Amino acid sequence: MNQQGVRWTAEQVLALAPDDASRRAGSRLGAAGPWSGGGSDGSGAVWGLCKGSGSKPYRTAVDTTGPAYTCSCPSRKFPCKHALGLLLLWAADGEPVRGSEVPDWAEQWLAGRRARAAGGGDGPAGDGGRPAASADPRAARRRAEQRAARITAGAEELEQRLADLLRGGLAAADRAGYGLWEETAARMVDAQAPGLAGRVRELGAIPGSGPGWPVRLLEECALTHLLDRAWLDVERLPEPLAATVRTRVGLTAPADGPAVRDHWSVLAQYDTSDGKLTTRRVWLHGRGTGRAALLLSFGAAGRAPGLALPVGVVIDAELRPHTGAGQLRAELGEQFSVPLPDTEPPAGGTVARALAAYGTALRDDPWLDSWPATLTGVIPVPSQDGGWQLADADGGSALPVATAALGRPGLWRLAALSGGRPVTVFGECGHRGFTPLTAWSADTPETVPLT
């Protein structure tokens, strides 16, 4: 199949939607009725005019190599419902997008993207690349030193808070309520240590959270204490571990590792939100290198994160890794072709192998919650405590499904896909269990998102 003939599936298109409302609205626009003047070409561009409530139709264009979007509608969502509808029409090879003559307005946008990409000044979503270096290195160094001093003061204050907690006894921690934890977290924000603030909020959610919560609180307090002490002695640590500590307290690690070009399978994409910031995680797997990579994108004030890649495709692209011990985060660089459909899952292993990989990663990053893993030949089965497990088909070992994943529709989708037979599952393996994100059955090469 040549690049011009490649079509995404409807499921891959809808996976790009920023929320359920956009998914529903985009689906309604995936029919030919409101569209005119559309077309597509072999470079990955799709365009069309969508009739709206006004006198002029909305001009919508998508560059599927990013993917990147533009639309003349006033929506702040990214992609908007018109871009989703246009992509659904394209995925179905609809008549309105079979033209090949690019209109001037679409050509101007596409040419601008190509020019910025050639000059290295545009990211994959068309909304800017890496920030420019500071014009005054001395001023930047002074600001960095001032922030480090504030973080140090915050870490010392947090150490005192943990000492007071232990002195009063963990069993009484639920009597103080959440307000004291939130006040401490706000102090960490003031100290410009968002990583410490996040850990404090997690600590505050543990008291009264169910049987055994004092043990969990003690474990998390110990990890927070370890991070505090690591920051206070960060200058004495080996550089890879020091970079990880800086990242964990909230400093941004630069993406200055050597570029890695590969054919990257897009394995999973999902969003999390703390009410103020939405974080999008995209997991990739290099077919040639065998390495995993995590792309992060953020959206604030009701805006969806800018980066969106359809699950189940392969992109020929360069990634630039961030520094730090055991860090998987990377930035998406130049892409050398349009995304192509993925035909097979990544190589995986047993439950024991996934646990061993997580254990090895913990040596480099003791604060690591989970590690990417692909399990092959596992069967989802109910457990006696009311949860679920992913068990090796040969009965060797089993991993509990993380509690947070038990109430999601993806678990039932996985059970239906398996039907009691072995499947391949990609997800995150950690101390809370396994979170399934994507699955494949032996009957079909189709990638099935579980998020």
Side-chain angles (χ1 to χ4, degrees):
M1 179 182 291
N2 62 25
Q3 290 183 354
Q4 188 169 355
V6 170
R7 288 289 187 274
W8 296 349
T9 65
E11 290 76 15
Q12 289 171 334
V13 172
L14 293 176
L16 303 175
D19 51 41
D20 289 337
S22 298
R23 192 174 292 111
R24 292 191 297 268
S27 297
R28 289 194 293 268
L29 292 175
W35 292 96
S36 62
S40 59
D41 63 17
S43 70
V46 188
W47 59 89
L49 301 173
C50 185
K51 181 176 175 151
S53 57
S55 58
K56 294 183 178 180
Y58 296 123
R59 296 175 171 180
T60 309
V62 179
D63 181 356
T64 61
T65 64
Y69 323 88
T70 184
C71 186
S72 59
C73 75
S75 174
R76 296 178 62 193
K77 295 183 179 180
F78 189 82
C80 67
K81 63 182 181 180
H82 306 101
L84 291 170
L86 179 64
L87 283 174
L88 287 171
L89 199 62
W90 170 72
D93 197 18
E95 181 67 31
V97 291
R98 290 180 183 170
S100 59
E101 185 175 348
V102 186
D104 292 341
W105 59 269
E107 176 60 35
Q108 183 178 2
W109 177 71
L110 291 167
R113 274 187 52 77
R114 296 186 190 112
R116 290 191 296 272
D122 197 8
D127 55 354
R130 285 175 287 176
S134 171
D136 188 346
R138 286 182 298 178
R141 184 167 55 252
R142 185 167 58 253
R143 288 192 297 269
E145 291 171 351
Q146 291 171 347
R147 182 177 182 183
R150 284 191 285 267
I151 294 175
T152 297
E156 291 172 343
E157 181 179 346
L158 182 53
E159 281 291 276
Q160 185 61 51
R161 172 74 178 94
L162 293 175
D164 293 343
L165 175 66
L166 294 175
R167 191 177 299 111
L170 292 179
D174 59 339
R175 299 173 191 168
Y178 187 74
L180 186 58
W181 295 103
E182 184 57 38
E183 178 184 346
T184 305
R187 299 278 291 176
M188 297 304 104
V189 173
D190 292 341
Q192 293 184 286
L196 293 180
R199 298 199 72 88
V200 170
R201 292 192 177 99
E202 290 178 3
L203 291 174
I206 295 176
S209 61
W213 67 260
V215 174
R216 296 194 297 275
L217 181 59
L218 179 60
E219 292 171 347
E220 294 302 321
C221 283
L223 285 172
T224 303
H225 169 67
L226 180 64
L227 182 57
D228 279 343
R229 297 310 313 174
W231 170 261
L232 294 175
D233 292 324
V234 69
E235 300 300 332
R236 300 168 56 187
L237 298 178
E239 181 49 37
L241 181 57
T244 296
V245 171
R246 296 186 191 103
T247 300
R248 289 298 180 185
V249 300
L251 296 175
T252 302
D256 56 4
V260 180
R261 180 177 178 180
D262 203 342
H263 288 83
W264 299 95
S265 296
V266 183
L267 297 184
Q269 174 179 291
Y270 68 96
D271 294 350
T272 57
S273 176
D274 62 3
K276 298 179 180 179
L277 185 72
T278 298
T279 303
R280 174 165 295 164
R281 291 172 170 83
V282 181
W283 281 110
L284 305 180
H285 178 268
R287 284 186 164 188
T289 60
R291 65 189 295 170
L294 175 64
L295 307 181
L296 294 181
S297 182
F298 304 94
R303 295 183 65 89
L307 178 64
L309 294 173
V311 174
V313 302
V314 179
I315 55 174
D316 179 8
E318 282 187 344
L319 298 186
R320 189 169 293 276
H322 286 246
T323 56
Q327 290 291 318
L328 297 177
R329 186 182 175 188
E331 298 295 332
L332 182 60
E334 182 179 357
Q335 298 183 54
F336 301 96
S337 70
V338 297
L340 303 175
D342 207 349
T343 56
E344 59 184 2
T350 63
V351 167
R353 182 176 172 183
L355 289 172
Y358 176 52
T360 300
L362 281 174
R363 292 186 305 186
D364 293 329
D365 184 354
W367 306 277
L368 191 65
D369 285 330
S370 60
W371 191 254
T374 301
L375 305 177
T376 56
V378 293
I379 303 174
V381 294
S383 56
Q384 294 182 350
D385 61 0
W388 282 75
Q389 295 179 330
L390 296 178
D392 287 329
D394 61 6
S397 302
L399 260 176
V401 173
T403 302
L406 293 178
R408 298 172 184 167
L411 180 59
W412 302 107
R413 197 177 305 141
L414 175 60
L417 180 70
S418 168
R421 295 172 296 175
V423 291
T424 298
V425 184
F426 169 78
E428 297 170 348
C429 177
H431 62 91
R432 297 185 179 93
F434 190 89
T435 302
L437 301 174
T438 315
W440 301 260
S441 74
D443 300 331
T444 173
E446 180 184 358
T447 302
V448 180
L450 304 176
T451 55

